[in-house]
Amino acid sequence: IGLGFFLGSTISKPIIKAAAILKEMSMGHLGMRLKMDSKDEVGEMAMCMDSFADDLQNVVIGTMKQISSGDVSANIEIRDEQDEIAPALKETIETIRALIVEANMLSQAAVAGQLDTRGNADAFNGGYKEIVEGVNNTLDAVVGPLNVAAEYVDRISKGDIPPKITDSYNGDFNEIKNNLNTC
């Protein structure tokens, strides 16, 4: 009986502790570790759990914090073909990097006066696609009235008085339209 009680407590205490830590991990609390030194199956399980918690806390959460602060320099290594966490994290980083490249290309084109340049929204999905489409729509909203204004200024500078602009514009564009019509 004494031997059974000893063996039972030797096995059950670590398992109870492991269950408590797994419960904490399931709630997103990754700071606890089992730190068991035994070389049996329970000790091996504890080392695997500690290693998994370390990876989640340092690699996954650490990388997610970097991404949230705008740092997408992390290079995530996929461990094997069954790894599901690293590929998802790597794809997230690569998608954000591609979005940054697309946004920089649009910005450089606009600064260079190439206002007909548009981003490739089809290269993205979901909210990322919406961002590129939004920038494209913004450029369309600016370029249309700008081209009309440029054409009218050109015609007026040559002594040609064009008809009043009847298109409807919003905000500052409407003020430009009114000023051109007055001119």
Side-chain angles (χ1 to χ4, degrees), residues 98-107 109-110 114-124 128-140:
L99 183 62
I100 291 168
V101 167
E102 197 75 10
N104 284 335
M105 180 272 301
L106 287 169
S107 176
Q114 300 165 344
L115 299 178
D116 58 339
T117 302
R118 296 295 178 269
N120 181 8
D122 291 333
F124 300 94
Y128 301 120
K129 182 175 188 165
E130 290 176 23
I131 291 170
V132 177
E133 288 173 339
V135 171
N136 288 344
N137 292 339
T138 301
L139 286 168
D140 290 342

Side-chain angles (χ1 to χ4, degrees), residues 150-162:
E151 177 193 347
Y152 271 59
V153 167
D154 181 55
R155 287 177 69 180
I156 292 169
S157 73
K158 294 175 181 170
D160 179 20
I161 306 300

Side-chain angles (χ1 to χ4, degrees), residues 54-67:
D54 286 343
D55 283 351
L56 282 176
Q57 193 171 38
N58 299 322
V59 177
V60 177
I61 302 302
T63 302
M64 290 171 62
K65 285 181 178 180
Q66 281 181 307
I67 292 169

Side-chain angles (χ1 to χ4, degrees), residues 23-156:
K23 184 178 179 183
E24 289 294 314
M25 287 175 70
S26 73
M27 294 175 20
H29 309 158
L30 302 176
M32 297 175 65
R33 301 292 184 271
L34 290 168
K35 296 180 185 173
M36 291 184 187
D37 292 329
S38 64
K39 305 293 181 209
D40 59 5
E41 289 82 6
V42 174
E44 201 172 303
M45 178 185 70
M47 287 189 334
C48 286
M49 283 179 56
D50 286 350
S51 176
F52 181 62
D54 286 343
D55 283 351
L56 282 176
Q57 193 171 38
N58 299 322
V59 177
V60 177
I61 302 302
T63 302
M64 290 171 62
K65 285 181 178 180
Q66 281 181 307
I67 292 169
S68 71
S69 68
D71 179 359
V72 290
S73 64
N75 290 314
I76 304 300
E77 293 186 30
I78 298 171
R79 293 185 179 150
D80 61 31
E81 55 210 35
Q82 289 145 348
D83 186 352
E84 295 179 50
I85 295 172
L89 200 52
K90 184 175 184 149
E91 185 176 358
T92 300
I93 290 170
E94 289 171 356
T95 300
I96 294 172
R97 285 177 183 163
L99 183 62
I100 291 168
V101 167
E102 197 75 10
N104 284 335
M105 180 272 301
L106 287 169
S107 176
Q108 290 170 359
V111 168
Q114 300 165 344
L115 299 178
D116 58 339
T117 302
R118 296 295 178 269
N120 181 8
D122 291 333
F124 300 94
N125 296 309
Y128 301 120
K129 182 175 188 165
E130 290 176 23
I131 291 170
V132 177
E133 288 173 339
V135 171
N136 288 344
N137 292 339
T138 301
L139 286 168
D140 290 342
V142 169
V143 169
L146 189 61
N147 286 339
V148 169
E151 177 193 347
Y152 271 59
V153 167
D154 181 55
R155 287 177 69 180
I156 292 169

